[in-house]
Amino acid sequence: MSGFPQAIEAHKKKIVYGLAVLVALGAGYQLYRVMNSKPTAAKIVPIVRTVTVGALDSSSLSTYPGAVHGRYESSLAFQVGGKINARLANLGDKVAAGQVLMTLDPKDVAQAAEANNAALEAAISSQRLAQKNAERYRALYAQGATSKAILDMFNTQLDSANSTLRQAQAQAQVSNNQLGYTQLKSDTAGVVAALSGEVGMVVGAGTPVATVVRDGEREIRINVPENALAQLKLGQKATISFWALNELSCSGYIREIASMADPLTKTYRVNVALDTMPAELKLGMTAKVTFEKNPNKGSAFVLPATALYNTGSKPQVWLVKDGHVELADVTVAGYAGNDVLISKGLQAGDKVVTAGLSKLVAKSEVRILEEAQQNKQQGSEQ
């Protein structure tokens, strides 16, 4: 019986050795599989940026703030200097043509006019005397009672008196005109848009003290920096909206572009005329004017120049359809800055790849940048 435990122990050792051999064989097999298996590449779906053909986004628009002005505005000033003694109109008043807006103290101008009128009366008297003397000596000369030299002297005195009279008449007329210039009158029917003159203020001749906007057309004035001026042209269409009118919008066009920049702001003033003027529109209201940076010509579509993909002599673009890309032949009609005009090969609504073209292969799957960012944001929120 003493040999029986030894046999059991030997049997256990065989089992252990067998299990060890199996484990070693299994590990070796797994190592063999790993060493001889081919690595599988992870599927990478490229992300691209796209633009929808025919759709306007914020990058294809230019927007400028502006204000409502009258198309015709008169800056009024006194033609003589003096002290303002009355203001007969207020800001926003409707005025008629010829209506008095302000007056100057006429005392000094009136005295000058009185002096010139007195000089005119003296010149008239002197001219009458010279004329009678000349007529008298003409009669005496005809009778042979005086010499030709004396007649010539009185004729010369008459000519001098006539010249003095004309000079006095002109000076009196100027003085009377200046007396009338002490009243500032509106040159047209309209609305008082600005008043800078106040009672007691001493103003010089030609200093603007009031602005009257003529009744009728209104326009929007905007200031455009010089780097954006090349994108605008006369007659270009615009969309105008008004904040005070609940973003009411209307159409318009560029009527005038300043030929010289403002010396202080270094911007160019652009006047945008309105096709139809809203009834609620008031002078001075703020407005927002929007232009297309590169308006379509005919049936051409505007795309960023980066969308073009040239594999040979023919231009192409990548289109995204059902999550996959394919090449499409297009016809280039021209260029406008950093954009290209496509006249054939595209339809409104097509999604064109504008960034990430180098990684694309025909029929390959892609993800659109905007959609990928949206999915990532939703995943982070969850």
Side-chain angles (χ1 to χ4, degrees):
M1 294 294 295
S2 60
F4 184 72
Q6 296 178 350
I8 294 175
E9 188 67 24
H11 183 68
K12 289 181 179 180
K13 289 181 179 181
K14 289 181 181 180
I15 294 174
V16 171
Y17 291 150
L19 291 174
V21 171
L22 290 176
V23 170
L25 290 175
Y29 179 71
Q30 291 295 335
L31 179 62
Y32 173 79
R33 287 186 59 187
V34 169
M35 294 179 62
N36 289 277
S37 63
K38 295 182 180 180
T40 57
K43 184 179 180 181
I44 300 176
V45 179
I47 299 177
V48 296
R49 185 188 296 274
T50 64
V51 64
T52 302
V53 175
L56 294 176
D57 57 14
S58 58
S59 63
S60 63
L61 300 175
S62 295
T63 302
Y64 302 95
V68 179
H69 290 261
R71 178 169 181 176
Y72 302 101
E73 297 185 357
S74 300
S75 294
L76 304 180
F78 288 103
Q79 293 180 251
V80 292
K83 181 179 180 180
I84 298 175
N85 65 351
R87 197 188 77 175
L88 306 176
N90 296 314
L91 196 63
D93 286 355
K94 279 187 165 295
V95 295
Q99 181 174 336
V100 179
L101 306 179
M102 296 182 189
T103 61
L104 294 178
D105 185 353
K107 181 172 58 178
D108 293 338
V109 180
Q111 289 177 349
E114 184 178 354
N116 287 324
N117 287 331
L120 174 60
E121 292 177 0
I124 292 174
S125 299
S126 297
Q127 191 271 345
R128 287 175 181 173
L129 178 60
Q131 186 173 6
K132 289 180 180 180
N133 287 335
E135 291 175 353
R136 186 180 301 115
Y137 276 88
R138 285 186 194 125
L140 292 175
Y141 178 76
Q143 297 173 4
T146 188
S147 65
K148 183 70 167 58
I150 295 177
L151 176 62
D152 290 342
M153 181 183 66
F154 283 100
N155 285 335
T156 301
Q157 290 178 354
L158 176 60
D159 293 338
S160 177
N162 287 333
S163 298
T164 302
L165 176 60
R166 289 195 299 271
Q167 181 180 3
Q169 287 174 336
Q171 290 177 343
Q173 184 63 45
V174 169
S175 297
N176 292 329
N177 288 342
Q178 289 180 338
L179 188 59
Y181 295 154
T182 59
Q183 293 184 334
L184 182 66
K185 299 178 180 179
S186 175
D187 61 348
T188 183
V191 178
V192 178
L195 287 172
S196 57
E198 296 292 341
V199 175
M201 182 184 296
V202 177
V203 296
T207 303
V209 292
T211 300
V212 175
V213 178
R214 183 183 301 180
D215 289 338
E217 298 180 58
R218 299 288 182 261
E219 63 184 15
I220 312 301
R221 290 184 185 174
I222 61 175
N223 294 305
V224 177
E226 58 185 15
N227 61 345
L229 196 64
Q231 301 172 354
L232 304 179
K233 62 180 181 179
L234 292 176
Q236 184 171 337
K237 296 295 183 181
T239 301
I240 304 101
S241 59
F242 305 95
W243 175 81
L245 303 180
N246 297 322
E247 296 298 332
L248 173 69
S249 63
C250 61
S251 60
Y253 62 92
I254 295 178
R255 184 185 65 81
E256 183 181 25
I257 300 177
S259 58
M260 182 178 294
D262 184 276
L264 297 179
T265 63
K266 301 302 180 183
T267 57
Y268 291 81
R269 193 178 77 177
V270 176
N271 295 336
V272 180
L274 302 176
D275 291 330
T276 56
M277 188 175 72
E280 307 91 339
L281 196 62
K282 303 295 183 182
L283 290 170
M285 280 186 174
T286 57
K288 183 172 64 176
V289 182
T290 303
F291 303 98
E292 291 185 37
K293 286 185 178 178
N294 298 301
N296 296 341
K297 296 182 179 180
S299 58
F301 293 108
V302 179
L303 294 177
T306 56
L308 284 181
Y309 183 79
N310 295 320
T311 56
S313 59
K314 196 167 186 179
Q316 296 174 310
V317 296
W318 287 101
L319 298 181
V320 178
K321 294 183 178 180
D322 299 327
H324 295 75
V325 292
E326 61 183 46
L327 280 172
D329 297 333
V330 294
T331 301
V332 176
Y335 293 85
N338 295 325
D339 295 331
V340 60
L341 301 176
I342 305 298
S343 59
K344 292 182 181 179
L346 295 177
Q347 295 181 353
D350 287 344
K351 285 189 176 182
V352 180
V353 179
T354 60
L357 282 69
S358 60
K359 303 177 182 179
L360 301 183
V361 179
K363 303 299 182 182
S364 63
E365 183 181 357
V366 294
R367 289 190 298 164
I368 299 175
L369 177 61
E370 292 77 5
E371 296 177 356
Q373 291 176 342
Q374 185 177 2
N375 293 335
K376 182 178 179 181
Q377 182 178 2
Q378 292 176 350
S380 62
E381 291 177 352
Q382 293 176 356

